[in-house]
Amino acid sequence: MKRWILMLGLIFVAGCATEPAEDGAQDETPIEQAPEQTDETENEQTTDEGEGLSVGTSVASQLEAPWSIARIEDGWLVSERGGTIAVIDEEGNVDRQTVELTEAVLEIGEGGLLGLALASDFDTSRQLYAYHTYGTPGNVQNRVVELTWEEDRFVETDVILEDIPGAQFHNGGRLLLDGEALWVTNGDALVPDIAQDETSLAGKILRIPLSGEGEPTDWIYSSGHRNPQGLASVDDVLYASEHGASGHDEVNRIEQGKNYGWPLIEADETADGLETPWFEVGSTSWAPSGIVADEEYIYMATLRGNRLVALDRETRDVLSIIEDKGRIRDVWLEGDVLYYRLYEQESPYRA
């Protein structure tokens, strides 16, 4: 593994952060505490910068609650949870642009403007997909829309899916475009049992055909998910990262029709018809978020763990690439370069 590591953006926060940590502890009233150090798992190997890795410099800074990153021909697009998209050029200049939607973004807890995925013909069509929270604090929902970039703003041009159950926490929100389908992760909206409800889209990973064929429940690809926030596809294998209830965060190999157990089992528990995790972190949460993969590794951003790690796809050993730089939300792989997205550096947060 030979990679350059570049930081895409960060926001410095003085004092107490305004958002909870996505660490699986939201079922109780949030309380303030300092960032937690993680324990090593049994199969973990730690290095200062990761084997064969070189750490570079910041590409851009002062983003506002950034969530998802997408590479464009001459820079980057970064969703900001408050409802804007930061357009970053190759020199690192940030142009924060409005997103015009028929349903306003509701920034609440973990909700807001979340995942982005570029259309395959983005360079000519200027179209992309976005996942965002909407509604009211008493009726939180999520939707997936098509946007068109008009160079100074992003405009909603189609609705892919709406009325996805939402909540202050556990909204999922990751998008991945793969051929003629759009993958979507949905959290359990703080109602654990709904992840097992075949009539609900909550707690599911969806595969939506871009043709729009079928009904929303036809698009349920897997179930039994708590709060999946990372997706990566490599060698025709789909991986998803997911927050556990109290530690025991997971990475799973996602297969059609499989049930990944929440809330019936977690960690190494077993039950007929339910999948145990391909990888789980142990009793101390990492709060995994965005992931990417290549032929050897899954690269995973962590929030509570404050790390960027590489999971060996064959042995499931862990290499620690970046440590103690702050909460890392997303990661992007381009050739021999890994970009990561950092925020809330050296600041307290709510657990």
Side-chain angles (χ1 to χ4, degrees), residues 275 329 341:
E275 301 299 310
R329 166 66 75 180
R341 228 256 307 104

Side-chain angles (χ1 to χ4, degrees), residues 54-277:
S54 300
V55 178
T57 58
S58 173
V59 175
S61 61
Q62 298 303 312
L63 304 177
E64 296 180 358
W67 208 90
S68 180
I69 59 179
R71 185 69 153 131
I72 59 177
E73 185 178 13
D74 52 358
W76 297 89
L77 302 180
V78 180
S79 63
E80 297 180 317
R81 209 168 53 206
T84 52
I85 294 178
V87 181
I88 304 171
D89 66 21
E90 295 286 10
E91 285 70 48
N93 300 308
V94 178
D95 178 18
R96 185 163 290 108
Q97 297 189 2
T98 60
V99 181
E100 297 183 3
L101 298 159
T102 57
E103 297 282 354
V105 170
L106 176 65
E107 185 181 14
I108 180 172
E110 294 172 6
L113 181 59
L114 305 178
L116 298 179
L118 303 184
S120 57
D121 62 349
F122 173 82
D123 290 344
T124 55
S125 72
R126 314 307 271 175
Q127 291 179 339
L128 64 157
Y129 304 96
Y131 186 109
H132 79 90
T133 310
Y134 71 107
T136 66
N139 182 27
V140 181
Q141 296 179 295
N142 295 292
R143 64 203 295 257
V144 181
V145 298
E146 177 192 87
L147 302 177
T148 299
W149 186 24
E150 297 185 353
E151 300 307 325
D152 62 347
R153 60 181 180 161
F154 295 82
V155 178
E156 179 185 314
T157 47
D158 197 8
V159 177
I160 307 301
L161 179 62
E162 53 190 357
D163 299 327
I164 302 168
Q168 185 176 4
F169 309 112
H170 299 190
N171 292 291
R174 189 66 60 183
L175 301 180
L176 176 67
L177 186 66
D178 186 16
E180 295 303 312
L182 182 66
W183 298 95
V184 180
T185 72
N186 297 331
D188 69 6
L190 290 179
V191 184
D193 289 344
I194 207 171
Q196 294 294 325
D197 184 348
E198 296 179 356
T199 68
S200 174
L201 301 181
K204 311 297 191 298
I205 292 177
L206 310 181
R207 183 184 184 275
I208 303 177
L210 296 183
S211 65
E213 180 181 358
E215 298 297 323
T217 52
D218 298 333
W219 304 334
I220 295 174
Y221 194 81
S222 62
S223 60
H225 298 287
R226 184 175 183 271
N227 192 20
Q229 290 199 350
L231 280 176
S233 179
V234 59
D235 298 333
D236 296 322
V237 178
L238 182 69
Y239 293 92
S241 62
E242 181 167 342
H243 294 192
S246 180
H248 304 295
D249 307 315
E250 302 176 0
V251 177
N252 287 298
R253 293 175 61 138
I254 305 299
E255 297 181 37
Q256 187 171 14
K258 295 294 182 65
N259 185 324
Y260 290 84
W262 175 253
L264 304 176
I265 63 169
E266 66 172 350
D268 59 356
E269 297 172 343
T270 61
D272 289 345
L274 303 180
E275 301 299 310
T276 56

